[in-house]
Amino acid sequence: MRRTRAASLIAIGAAAAVVLAACGTAADNGGTGGAGSDAQRNGTAEGAVKGGTLNMLGAGDVDYMDPNITYYSVGYQVARMYSRQLFTNPADPATNRTAVPDLAESIPTTDNGGISADGKTWTVKIKQGTMWNSTPPRPVTAADEVIGVKRTCNPVQPFGGLPDFQNLFVGFKAFCDGFAKIGQDAAAMKAYIQNTPLAGVTAKDDSTVVFTLNQPAPYLAEMLTLPALGPAPVEYLDSVPGSTDLGKKLIANGPYKVDSYDPTKRIELSRNPSWNASTDTVRGAFVDKIVIDETQSQESVQQQLQTNTPSADMQFDVATPASQIPQLQAANDPNLTLGSTASSNPYVIFNFKSPNNGSALAKPEVRQALAYGINRDNIIQVQGGPAVSPPLTHILPPSLAGSKDSNPYPYDAAKAKQMLAAAGFPNGLTLKFLYRNASEASSKTFATIQQDLSKIGVKVEGVPSPNADFYTKYLQVPDVASRGVWDLSLAGWGADWFGNGGAISFFSPLFSGQPSFPPVGSNYGYYNSAEANGLLTQALAATDVAKQNDLFGQLDELITKDVAIFPITNPNWPTYRATQVHNAVYMDSLQNFDPTNVWLDADKNG
């Protein structure tokens, strides 16, 4: 959720911006061959059925329809349909963690001249024939890519993963600092974008983008798979970034266009007549329409999918309820996928800014006591058990380079109570817990932690939130944290990209101090450590991979000991589809099957 970027933020049971990996039954080819590779041949897969309406069901909305702003896995799902990037991940279970060309002609290398000898200049050519469905339709240009990158640091709602790259592109930090002073008027922001150059991202000509970096970044192609770093048409500058107004008049360059958007209720998309299939080797675009119903419940969605209700094909922002997974596994249900992940999802957030209890959570001794007092095993049980939710006791998931195994705070209620008294709270605390009441697992995790902490004299009061409000009205709003509306909460995170440097997308957005504070970053607890910041600076500057990974390991250990968060699990993500859905390829970045590559039975196509 998003993430993943994940990519790019939840507890099991509702979706977020977390980036997940395919495994097990991650691809279904519906009786045909080669689910992933066939889908990339734009509707020519053997046995593929074209046409019909794909119905997706969920319980909540995207964070933003704006592709340069969304940092939430359901936002990535919708963006996948109408928005393309220079590079993306293919719907292939064997390679969906690898960047491939999307709008770009090829992946730049030193051999093909796309990357300079010092690794600091990347030149990317945009394919001919890629079009916006503007009036009249026009080509996607390098200038559009520059606009897209610039929009990510707008002063209204900056992209949450900005810390990943704000110091990478030459001049970008200064550009963003100036942008922050412009105000929130659309006309003023448009003038700033159009009149303020960005040395690190330029249009050499209509089809050539040049990225100039402060330091080599071998992972840049993977980073540029983020929807936020895709091109934006000039028309977007007439609307406030992230606004509902913009969400209702999006311009598409993908296979589908947005016909209507009714926030928290419904999104409808249909074929984009300006999309040229010959330029898109990633999206099969088999169905004619995609309808997203956001008014369901998690349990209702699962029931409709399992009973093959005609208007139910795929999940949207919900996962299979954890309580139902053992039964589905025992029955070897072929429609259930458990995708392995490179994520920490969920984890407990501690609000360092909360004034409650005399600002107790700012004290490391208090957080350490709470860490000893939370029984990770109990939470894992309500998350579906260790097969679905294997324990994670430190920051980085094991699959990321630099992950360092440690468990400094094993469950010990007696020690927790003793430490809490020593920290000045012999009579305990009263803490407010923000959670999503529409998510079974989020609700059960809250209840489990509430029960655990009661054993050490800590009273936990619930602050329920709808899915759509959880980030936009709570976690992303600094004033809400500083007023003590919440003390504890749940989030989830996955790497924005994989391979070398992937740990950057954990440490920079979540734990880098001021640069990662909301609304720019996703450091929702406002963790800030001079020692951690120094190690991260060294890691970002390291050119030797082994040295960089060693520094990541030191960061993993330090931040874990600081109890910046309480990690719980690196889960396998439960995703379900109806029987009529074929070519269902699980995508890490979408936390779902790729909706642009599935097809439906001819007699059950909505």
Side-chain angles (χ1 to χ4, degrees), residues 55-305:
N55 289 285
M56 301 181 70
L57 305 182
D61 203 359
V62 299
D63 55 344
Y64 303 100
M65 290 288 284
D66 188 332
N68 298 118
I69 309 302
T70 182
Y71 200 30
Y72 192 32
S73 64
V74 292
Y76 283 14
Q77 289 177 42
V78 180
R80 176 82 166 182
M81 305 171 196
Y82 71 86
S83 176
R84 297 174 64 185
Q85 293 74 53
L86 295 178
F87 311 105
T88 193
N89 301 113
D92 185 332
T95 61
N96 73 24
R97 289 186 170 190
T98 304
V100 298
D102 189 358
L103 292 170
E105 290 182 352
S106 62
I107 299 283
T109 65
T110 52
D111 289 340
N112 66 21
I115 303 177
S116 62
D118 65 0
K120 294 184 179 181
T121 303
W122 286 52
T123 301
V124 182
K125 295 284 291 185
I126 296 176
K127 295 174 186 173
Q128 297 298 308
T130 58
M131 305 289 289
W132 296 109
N133 73 322
S134 50
T135 306
R138 65 174 187 277
V140 178
T141 67
D144 297 329
E145 174 64 18
V146 176
I147 291 174
V149 175
K150 287 181 174 181
R151 292 184 75 246
T152 61
C153 69
N154 72 84
V156 176
Q157 181 53 63
F159 171 57
L162 204 58
D164 282 349
F165 52 83
Q166 64 183 351
N167 292 312
L168 181 60
F169 303 130
V170 169
F172 190 57
K173 181 65 165 60
F175 175 88
C176 295
D177 289 344
F179 207 170
K181 302 174 184 177
I182 294 302
Q184 301 189 353
D185 176 70
M189 288 185 284
K190 177 179 181 177
Y192 184 81
I193 286 177
Q194 293 184 324
N195 298 326
T196 308
L198 172 56
V201 187
T202 59
K204 184 177 180 180
D205 55 43
D206 284 349
S207 61
T208 308
V209 187
V210 178
F211 296 92
T212 307
L213 313 179
N214 287 313
Q215 59 203 34
Y219 50 81
L220 182 60
E222 282 76 16
M223 179 185 287
L224 289 173
T225 65
L226 290 169
L229 291 175
V234 68
E235 288 89 344
Y236 283 10
L237 301 183
D238 293 323
S239 297
V240 173
S243 64
T244 301
D245 171 65
L246 177 60
K248 291 184 175 182
K249 54 184 184 184
L250 293 163
I251 296 176
N253 60 17
Y256 299 100
K257 59 183 176 67
V258 179
D259 294 326
S260 64
Y261 171 49
D262 190 359
T264 73
K265 295 180 181 178
R266 192 176 180 90
I267 305 172
E268 295 189 6
L269 304 97
S270 64
R271 289 195 177 277
N272 173 12
S274 299
W275 176 70
N276 185 342
S278 67
T279 71
D280 193 339
T281 61
V282 174
R283 301 164 185 82
F286 298 106
V287 300
D288 290 332
K289 294 184 64 177
I290 300 175
V291 174
I292 302 168
D293 180 351
E294 302 174 332
T295 65
Q296 305 288 321
S297 68
Q298 185 179 21
E299 293 74 14
S300 173
V301 171
Q302 184 67 27
Q303 181 182 23
Q304 291 177 68
L305 292 174

Side-chain angles (χ1 to χ4, degrees), residues 340-396:
S340 66
T341 77
S343 72
S344 177
N345 187 15
Y347 58 81
V348 177
I349 311 168
F350 298 95
N351 182 0
F352 285 56
K353 292 180 66 175
S354 173
N356 301 332
N357 305 286
S359 300
L361 292 182
K363 301 177 181 180
E365 299 86 356
V366 172
R367 300 192 305 276
Q368 291 166 2
L370 295 175
Y372 277 118
I374 299 174
N375 190 329
R376 184 179 283 105
D377 291 342
N378 287 345
I379 302 173
I380 285 172
Q381 286 305 313
V382 303
Q383 297 284 340
V388 176
S389 299
L392 180 65
T393 59
H394 52 103
I395 303 300
L396 286 181

Side-chain angles (χ1 to χ4, degrees), residues 420-466:
L420 203 58
F425 298 94
N427 299 318
L429 303 165
T430 298
L431 300 174
K432 300 176 183 178
F433 198 115
L434 174 68
Y435 70 101
R436 277 166 291 199
N437 58 341
S439 162
E440 175 193 78
S442 183
S443 298
K444 287 186 175 180
T445 299
F446 153 65
T448 301
I449 293 175
Q450 183 183 51
Q451 183 176 12
D452 283 346
L453 293 183
S454 69
K455 298 174 183 177
I456 65 169
V458 175
K459 181 180 179 181
V460 180
E461 300 175 344
V463 181
S465 168

Side-chain angles (χ1 to χ4, degrees), residues 289-332:
K289 294 184 64 177
I290 300 175
V291 174
I292 302 168
D293 180 351
E294 302 174 332
T295 65
Q296 305 288 321
S297 68
Q298 185 179 21
E299 293 74 14
S300 173
V301 171
Q302 184 67 27
Q303 181 182 23
Q304 291 177 68
L305 292 174
Q306 284 187 242
T307 56
N308 295 309
T309 302
S311 59
D313 299 310
M314 281 173 53
Q315 297 162 335
F316 181 52
D317 74 323
V318 295
T320 299
S323 60
Q324 298 187 31
I325 293 171
Q327 180 180 356
L328 294 170
Q329 287 181 301
N332 292 317

Side-chain angles (χ1 to χ4, degrees), residues 377-542:
D377 291 342
N378 287 345
I379 302 173
I380 285 172
Q381 286 305 313
V382 303
Q383 297 284 340
V388 176
S389 299
L392 180 65
T393 59
H394 52 103
I395 303 300
L396 286 181
S399 58
L400 288 183
S403 176
K404 189 170 184 178
D405 190 24
S406 65
N407 185 15
Y409 304 107
Y411 177 64
D412 188 331
K415 187 169 185 177
K417 194 168 184 178
Q418 180 184 26
M419 288 186 66
L420 203 58
F425 298 94
N427 299 318
L429 303 165
T430 298
L431 300 174
K432 300 176 183 178
F433 198 115
L434 174 68
Y435 70 101
R436 277 166 291 199
N437 58 341
S439 162
E440 175 193 78
S442 183
S443 298
K444 287 186 175 180
T445 299
F446 153 65
T448 301
I449 293 175
Q450 183 183 51
Q451 183 176 12
D452 283 346
L453 293 183
S454 69
K455 298 174 183 177
I456 65 169
V458 175
K459 181 180 179 181
V460 180
E461 300 175 344
V463 181
S465 168
N467 286 0
D469 294 345
F470 188 72
Y471 289 97
T472 58
K473 293 185 180 180
Y474 287 96
L475 293 186
Q476 291 175 334
V477 184
D479 179 61
V480 171
S482 62
R483 288 190 287 113
V485 174
W486 63 276
D487 298 298
L488 306 176
S489 190
L490 294 172
W493 198 261
D496 287 340
W497 67 91
F498 305 94
N500 289 328
I504 293 170
S505 64
F506 259 80
F507 293 129
S508 289
L510 297 183
F511 306 111
S512 61
Q514 181 69 43
S516 59
F517 288 171
V520 176
S522 301
N523 184 352
Y524 301 121
Y526 298 86
Y527 172 76
N528 193 4
S529 161
E531 185 178 359
N533 296 342
L535 285 172
L536 180 57
T537 299
Q538 293 179 53
L540 293 174

